[in-house]
Amino acid sequence: MCGIVGYVGPDQALPVVLEGLRRLEYRGYDSAGVAIIDGGLSVVKRAGKLSELDAALEVVGPVPGSIGMGHTRWATHGAPTDRNAHPHMDCGGRVAVIHNGIIENFTDLRTGLQKRGHVLDSDTDTEVVAHLIEEKEGSLADRVRATVGELDGAYALVVLALDEPDVIVGVRVSSPLIVGLGDGENLLASDIPAVLQKTRTVLPIDENQVVEVRAGDVRVTDLNGNEVEAEPFEVAWDVTRAQKGGFDDFMLKEIHEQPAAIRDTLVGRVSEQGLLALDELHTDTDVLREVDKVFVVACGTAFHSGLVAKYAIEHWTRVSVEIDIASEFRYRDPVLGPNTLTLAVSQSGETIDTLEAARHASRQGSKVIAVTNTIGSSLAREADAVMYTHAGPEICVAATKTFATQMAALHLVALYLAQIRGAMFPVEITDVVNRMRELPGQVRRTLALSQQIRGIAQEIRDARDVLFIGRHTGYPAALEGALKLKELSYVHAEGYPAGELKHGPIALVEDGVPVVAVATECHVYRKVLSNIQEVRARGAHVIAIASEGDEEITQHADDVLFVPRVPELFAPVVVTPPLQLLAYHVAKLRGCDVDQPRNLAKSVTVE
């Protein structure tokens, strides 16, 4: 959620830190600040975008120094104001702290600090950390470890201190933290794009670890100070893939990257013997063969991809599937055990609700397969098996290409389970995989609808409400279409199973209300047509997504977007790009920021 960048090396720290923060803007934020050791400890911070911080730094003048850190804050405790922006300092101005996450017991800690004479200037939970470190003795790393012992919550901390002007200390307790390993210089950050300006060698910091970052050395310890081994990896994409590449927005670029992202996710999944394989498998296939129930846990867009997976897994394997919003999963006391499999889906692999749901499942004896886009993420490291989506960096806050690749990856997981359980003949699996290999070209054809979609967007740009309906796999596509529209354009939109219209939602339908109907070729097509007739009879403006060659649909809809014919389990893959483009064009016509929608963050790392 919040962006963290630290640098120590031979160069001036401020430009490196600011560039890193710019590469993390996609995470969503409402204030920003920096701390540089320049003989003293200089802190500059402002509410608003990085441009506000840049303006403040112009007034302050040069802030020299070869060690520093920066932060973009997404407000949790305290309004987005100058004084609540990070970094936060201790009473003496000798310790600075930036923080991602939540300190749950900060009220008690704050009260205790004030009783001991500390003066706190902000409303944040973060500031108590700087004052607690101030009270401790020993090295900065020792003081940080001692402070962590008093904190409850899920967070990452990064600390600078005048007493040790050559080191940045970071600690991870749930929230993501990585080190970028350079030549005589090193970086600390909350996400990979921030370090790509200097290096593609990344060292992930694991749960409950402390890292000391110096120009020529990186030392990782546990919370007791015991040194631990950490394994770096090479990032397969470079900084140019995190840039717009000639498109007006990251979102439009990433929508158009979907054919390549799907292709990359499918490449190398089938052996010469025609067998499917996961990226990493630490579980005996005999265990997976005995699974009698599958749970899918995810949030937001990933939840919608999981719903698509439910249809595929149950159809191909005949194993029952339950799907949960990850934030609700462990609180409902699910029945898990050695014969259950949990699929945890997260673009970042750091979504705290999904991560905690996966951990809960693992503690209950369930095997966990992670579906994630991020190599070395917490979810990937902690799962029993991993299916990487290979979508490359997704900068826009609203997910597009990662949704497409999650669906493709989950279809492969479903086929993998069918393979090891003997639920499908090898020739059947091969046929499905071959049909999947046609998807990149089919998605590319849907992108040619952009101009037609812009015309439709012009018609509905001022709508107060928009309904999205679908049946079978059209239902998760409708959910995702509604989510995209509300995320980007701030228009109220809801997705419903089309059969539920008569159970309440049809009361919202009146003259001119846009209803987007997913009506592609499927075994419930006739029922979808009946639902379309119901809303149209009440004055709805019907926008249908239909299969090419469907001549009947034009009699029932005001606008029709034709997409390639695909097997109905794959329909959401070709349906969602037009829905993404509809949300994009409506948002642009309404003057909204499509890359950084208000109040949203790319990776939700606090509960």
Side-chain angles (χ1 to χ4, degrees):
M1 194 166 278
C2 302
I4 288 174
V5 183
Y7 172 80
V8 55
D11 294 342
Q12 290 296 300
L14 183 59
V16 177
V17 168
L18 289 173
E19 178 61 23
L21 292 179
R22 290 187 184 95
R23 298 189 186 282
L24 296 181
E25 283 193 283
Y26 67 92
R27 295 172 71 92
Y29 69 103
D30 43 48
S31 61
V34 294
I36 306 292
I37 294 181
D38 57 351
L41 184 53
S42 294
V43 170
V44 182
K45 53 186 183 175
R46 289 292 185 273
K49 296 296 186 181
L50 281 171
S51 57
E52 299 295 328
L53 177 61
D54 289 336
L57 287 165
E58 284 288 332
V59 174
V60 170
V63 186
S66 59
I67 182 169
M69 63 185 186
H71 185 268
T72 50
R73 176 180 184 249
W74 193 85
T76 52
H77 293 80
T81 62
D82 288 355
R83 70 188 186 93
N84 287 333
H86 297 205
H88 290 285
M89 303 180 77
D90 65 337
C91 292
R94 302 186 66 81
V95 174
V97 175
I98 56 179
H99 163 223
N100 181 10
I102 291 178
I103 308 300
E104 294 176 354
N105 61 332
F106 90 102
T107 301
D108 292 339
L109 295 171
R110 183 185 183 95
T111 300
L113 286 164
Q114 289 172 328
K115 286 180 179 178
R116 296 194 295 274
H118 291 263
V119 177
L120 284 80
D121 297 323
S122 77
D123 304 316
T124 68
D125 52 345
T126 308
E127 190 180 3
V128 301
V129 178
H131 291 269
L132 289 171
I133 292 172
E134 180 185 8
E135 294 183 333
K136 306 298 187 289
E137 296 182 350
S139 70
L140 180 58
D142 289 337
R143 294 157 68 192
V144 169
R145 276 189 284 267
T147 297
V148 167
E150 299 182 44
L151 306 179
D152 294 333
Y155 53 84
L157 303 170
V158 176
V159 186
L160 283 178
L162 268 179
D163 298 339
E164 295 185 41
D166 66 333
V167 65
I168 305 172
V169 175
V171 59
R172 176 186 178 168
V173 180
S174 290
S175 292
L177 203 60
I178 57 111
V179 176
L181 301 175
D183 183 8
E185 58 184 357
N186 292 300
L187 299 94
L188 191 60
S190 52
D191 205 354
I192 290 171
V195 306
L196 292 181
Q197 56 181 311
K198 290 288 188 179
T199 181
R200 289 168 61 182
T201 305
V202 171
L203 184 74
I205 304 304
D206 278 336
E207 185 79 0
N208 296 320
Q209 289 185 345
V210 176
V211 59
E212 300 168 56
V213 180
R214 295 177 172 83
D217 179 57
V218 173
R219 181 172 182 260
V220 182
T221 62
D222 61 22
L223 294 181
N224 295 316
N226 302 308
E227 195 154 352
V228 296
E229 290 292 327
E231 190 69 30
F233 65 89
E234 292 294 317
V235 177
W237 44 274
D238 61 24
V239 71
T240 60
R241 292 189 65 186
Q243 296 173 344
K244 292 181 183 177
F247 287 88
D248 291 338
D249 320 275
F250 281 113
M251 184 181 186
L252 191 59
K253 171 178 180 274
E254 289 158 7
I255 288 172
H256 281 81
E257 287 177 337
Q258 287 178 111
I262 295 169
R263 184 192 63 238
D264 290 346
T265 298
L266 298 177
V267 165
R269 302 299 193 184
V270 183
S271 70
E272 293 181 1
Q273 292 75 36
L275 299 177
L276 289 165
L278 302 188
D279 287 294
E280 296 179 15
L281 181 61
H282 309 302
T283 299
D284 194 313
T285 53
D286 288 339
V287 175
L288 296 179
R289 194 172 291 114
E290 299 303 316
V291 164
D292 57 19
K293 178 170 280 191
V294 176
F295 292 87
V296 183
V297 292
C299 300
T301 289
F303 175 81
H304 300 157
S305 72
L307 188 52
V308 175
K310 172 182 169 68
Y311 293 105
I313 295 169
E314 291 185 339
H315 180 72
W316 287 331
T317 72
R318 309 311 298 161
V319 175
S320 176
V321 179
E322 290 190 32
I323 178 165
D324 279 83
I325 296 288
S327 57
E328 293 294 323
F329 178 68
R330 60 196 172 112
Y331 299 114
R332 73 169 176 86
D333 196 20
V335 180
L336 296 151
N339 288 337
T340 63
L341 172 67
T342 300
L343 299 179
V345 190
S346 167
Q347 182 277 139
S348 66
E350 304 293 351
T351 304
I352 189 63
D353 292 313
T354 305
L355 192 53
E356 291 297 339
R359 289 167 176 165
H360 177 76
S362 185
R363 286 193 295 269
Q364 300 302 310
S366 179
K367 297 303 178 185
V368 176
I369 295 178
V371 178
T372 179
N373 191 43
T374 309
I375 296 172
S377 63
S378 299
L379 189 61
R381 296 198 304 275
E382 296 182 25
D384 298 292
V386 184
M387 177 66 86
Y388 287 115
T389 54
H390 300 297
E394 187 176 67
I395 305 303
C396 177
V397 169
T400 53
K401 62 177 179 173
T402 52
F403 180 56
T405 55
Q406 283 168 356
M407 288 188 287
L410 284 164
H411 279 119
L412 290 172
V413 171
L415 289 171
Y416 178 77
L417 290 175
Q419 172 182 285
I420 63 175
R421 296 170 65 85
M424 294 173 69
F425 292 112
V427 67
E428 293 177 300
I429 294 175
T430 300
D431 180 62
V432 173
V433 171
N434 287 338
R435 296 297 298 270
M436 289 181 70
R437 286 172 173 154
E438 297 173 5
L439 286 172
Q442 291 164 330
V443 169
R444 187 173 294 106
R445 282 161 55 193
T446 70
L447 299 176
L449 297 169
S450 187
Q451 280 305 110
Q452 182 188 357
I453 293 169
R454 191 181 189 283
I456 296 171
Q458 186 71 54
E459 296 173 4
I460 69 170
R461 60 178 292 181
D462 296 320
R464 184 186 65 186
D465 303 287
V466 182
L467 299 182
F468 290 73
I469 60 173
R471 285 179 178 260
H472 195 245
T473 58
Y475 169 48
L479 288 174
E480 180 62 12
L483 177 61
K484 284 294 156 286
L485 188 63
K486 71 179 75 171
E487 280 182 315
L488 297 175
S489 68
Y490 319 139
V491 172
H492 175 252
E494 296 296 336
Y496 291 100
E500 282 292 291
L501 280 170
K502 294 185 290 293
H503 297 276
I506 202 167
L508 298 172
V509 179
E510 57 187 4
D511 281 346
V513 169
V515 175
V516 181
V518 180
T520 49
E521 183 180 49
C522 65
H523 70 288
V524 287
Y525 174 74
R526 289 290 159 194
K527 294 186 180 297
V528 176
L529 287 187
S530 295
N531 299 133
I532 290 174
Q533 290 165 350
E534 289 168 350
V535 296
R536 206 175 189 206
R538 290 159 176 82
H541 178 108
V542 176
I543 302 159
I545 315 290
S547 299
E548 291 174 344
D550 182 354
E551 297 179 0
E552 184 176 0
I553 190 66
T554 56
Q555 304 171 32
H556 306 287
D558 298 281
D559 296 289
V560 182
L561 296 167
F562 289 105
V563 299
R565 289 180 177 269
V566 297
E568 60 185 299
L569 288 173
F570 298 159
V573 180
V574 297
V575 165
T576 49
L579 297 179
Q580 294 161 356
L581 286 167
L582 181 64
Y584 172 84
H585 286 303
V586 171
K588 293 290 282 187
L589 289 168
R590 291 169 62 91
C592 301
D593 185 341
V594 294
D595 285 341
Q596 296 178 39
R598 68 188 182 198
N599 301 333
L600 298 179
K602 184 64 178 174
S603 179
V604 180
T605 55
V606 295
E607 287 194 88

